[in-house]
Amino acid sequence: MNSGNSDAAAPVTSAARVGELDVLRGFALLGVLVVNIMSWLVYPWFATEAQTDALVVTQADENAQFMMMWLGADKANTLFAFLFGVGFAVQMERLEGRGADFQRIYRRRLFVLLAFGLVHLLFFWPFDILHLYALAGFMLLAVRRVSDRVLLGFGLVLAFAARPVIAFVLEETGISGPAFKASFNDAAIMERANETSLFGLSGEFFEVGVFGWMASGYILAWLFYAFGRFLLGAYVARKGWIQRSGELLSGWRKVVLICLPLGLAGQFVAAAIDLETWEWSAQLEWAHAWVHYPTVPLIAAGYVATLILIFHSPARPLALVFAPVGRMALTNYVTQSFVIGFLAYKAAGGPALAGNAGPALLIGIAFAIYAAQTVFSHFWLSRFAYGPLEWCWRTLTYGQAPKMRREALPA
């Protein structure tokens, strides 16, 4: 490969980044952390129903649980997946504009991400999304030349319907039942909770990944769910709505005024039904999916628009707090899973909070973890150009190690 092609295929520098994307990724990671720590440490994932029922639930716990379901659940992963699609289209435009072989580079990038994700899934964190994003990324790569209309149409259909429809089919046909129940019945949950060695816990996670996730078929529901959001992100990036957000603020204001109220209202109702907040919530259970799935993308769009408006306002420093966390999204995401695993189980030497901590305490812990990640990300990126895992990802993708220290970056 000649030097010109080598330069064309080189990883993007800090100066070429879209700052809004880093802010949005950092904000999404806060939501991912809060939802994960408050969801996975309780029934039916890391705790039994009896453990959860035995907890003393305060008004603060109920409020924290409702806020998470209302503002966080499904919105954080929607935003994260959407941004993956945006990043895909932005990178394709830049690499092809520089004459690089985008397909070859991005395919290698996805294979590296898939390897990271499978190791993470099978040995360290059974709720990994990296492998899922890599697989959906290959699907996105295959349809990268479709028209804008097809991109938007299929994106909307999959975003709204893929997960509930596929999950319904899996449950009605009985495909998901045995494997899923074997991984998350009371005996399996308590076996993981009582595991005293990290090696043994890793083996337990391997079984959950293989049976509770893959063999149950639920991977398919989430794969197409993520793919739909990828398509929507790629569509937005094609239009340049984030790259040129400073020129399109009036449009983003309309998104806030329309999408955010509708999304907040719909998700409030969905959370109330899901948590049986109202006396008649049980009678509305049939309506949950019809309210929840259409309004999740609306509230996520409202979050995106709000952060973009803040980014282009005098309050910009508030948005920039999230940027370093977003620039180290891979490192921070993987770190979060290790911290949650440490907190959940005694095998890691942690406090074994799974089934023993209420939502109010967990949300406080989540914000404390994120604050620590924010401080660390600011500190690290003041000295280095990339996060540790980001540097590994780029090195394996491009076949050459980019300069790590910031002073080595071009002016």
Side-chain angles (χ1 to χ4, degrees):
M1 181 179 291
N2 61 41
S3 60
N5 287 339
S6 179
D7 290 341
V12 66
T13 64
S14 296
R17 299 183 71 93
V18 179
E20 294 92 329
L21 291 180
D22 289 330
V23 169
L24 291 167
R25 286 191 192 98
F27 177 77
L29 273 173
L30 171 59
V32 167
L33 174 60
V34 171
V35 172
N36 280 351
I37 200 169
M38 291 181 65
S39 299
W40 303 139
L41 268 64
V42 298
Y43 176 78
W45 310 110
F46 282 6
T48 65
E49 186 175 11
Q51 286 178 305
T52 303
D53 289 344
L55 286 174
V56 177
V57 179
T58 66
Q59 187 63 49
D61 288 319
E62 292 182 358
N63 293 341
Q65 183 75 0
F66 186 87
M67 294 295 286
M68 185 272 288
M69 294 296 294
W70 178 26
L71 302 176
D74 267 358
K75 296 80 175 174
N77 59 46
T78 289
L79 182 53
F80 214 49
F82 166 83
L83 293 171
F84 193 102
V86 173
F88 171 92
V90 168
Q91 288 181 55
M92 183 171 77
E93 179 182 2
R94 285 179 173 166
L95 287 170
E96 291 187 341
R98 298 193 323 230
D101 185 349
F102 170 76
Q103 183 172 343
R104 180 183 62 82
I105 293 170
Y106 208 82
R107 189 186 300 118
R108 184 185 299 171
R109 179 178 175 83
L110 292 173
F111 273 121
V112 174
L113 184 64
L114 180 60
F116 281 177
L118 288 175
V119 171
H120 191 223
L121 168 78
L122 296 175
F123 299 103
F124 301 105
W125 184 243
F127 304 106
D128 168 80
I129 61 169
L130 302 179
H131 73 291
L132 198 69
Y133 282 15
L135 294 173
F138 283 115
M139 296 165 66
L140 187 58
L141 190 62
V143 300
R144 69 191 182 282
R145 301 299 184 191
V146 301
S147 68
D148 289 353
R149 182 177 297 181
V150 172
L151 206 64
L152 178 61
F154 275 96
L156 289 172
V157 169
L158 292 175
F160 292 147
R163 195 171 121 213
V165 169
I166 295 175
F168 175 79
V169 171
L170 290 171
E171 290 166 8
E172 289 300 309
T173 57
I175 294 173
S176 63
F180 186 81
K181 290 177 182 177
S183 295
F184 295 106
N185 58 35
D186 286 358
I189 289 172
M190 292 308 299
E191 186 173 352
R192 290 192 288 273
N194 294 324
E195 180 58 62
T196 57
S197 78
L198 286 175
F199 183 78
L201 185 60
S202 180
E204 295 284 343
F205 283 168
F206 182 89
E207 291 185 10
V208 172
V210 171
F211 297 105
W213 178 238
M214 296 180 181
S216 69
Y218 279 122
I219 186 175
L220 293 176
W222 284 92
L223 177 61
F224 284 94
Y225 170 93
F227 182 50
R229 283 149 172 77
F230 281 18
L231 293 174
L232 295 178
Y235 175 82
V236 168
R238 276 191 188 180
K239 296 296 184 181
W241 292 344
I242 291 182
Q243 304 94 304
R244 298 185 295 111
S245 61
E247 306 167 23
L248 304 171
L249 295 181
S250 61
W252 285 113
R253 290 189 187 98
K254 292 177 183 177
V255 173
V256 170
L257 292 175
I258 296 172
C259 293
L260 196 58
L262 289 175
L264 287 170
Q267 285 302 297
F268 187 93
V269 173
I273 295 173
D274 195 43
L275 297 175
E276 299 186 357
T277 302
W278 302 323
E279 291 182 6
W280 57 88
S281 292
Q283 283 70 48
L284 294 175
E285 184 177 356
W286 62 270
H288 179 266
W290 294 98
V291 176
H292 176 72
Y293 288 104
T295 55
V296 163
L298 292 179
I299 195 171
Y303 289 165
V304 170
T306 300
L307 283 167
I308 285 176
L309 292 178
I310 294 173
F311 185 87
H312 291 283
S313 77
R316 179 186 178 100
L318 294 177
L320 291 178
V321 169
F322 296 107
V325 181
R327 282 185 60 190
M328 294 174 52
L330 180 59
T331 296
N332 283 317
Y333 168 72
V334 171
T335 301
Q336 287 177 6
S337 67
F338 277 93
V339 173
I340 295 175
F342 168 78
L343 294 173
Y345 293 118
K346 60 186 178 183
L353 294 182
N356 296 307
L361 173 60
L362 293 175
I363 196 171
I365 292 172
F367 277 100
I369 294 169
Y370 190 82
Q373 287 193 311
T374 301
V375 172
F376 176 76
S377 297
H378 278 261
F379 170 81
W380 182 273
L381 291 174
S382 69
R383 290 160 174 77
F384 301 101
Y386 307 99
L389 290 183
E390 286 73 16
W391 183 86
C392 293
W393 194 7
R394 282 162 172 77
T395 299
L396 294 171
T397 296
Y398 294 96
Q400 58 185 33
K403 299 295 185 181
M404 187 66 160
R405 296 197 63 84
R406 285 196 64 83
E407 56 264 34
L409 289 175

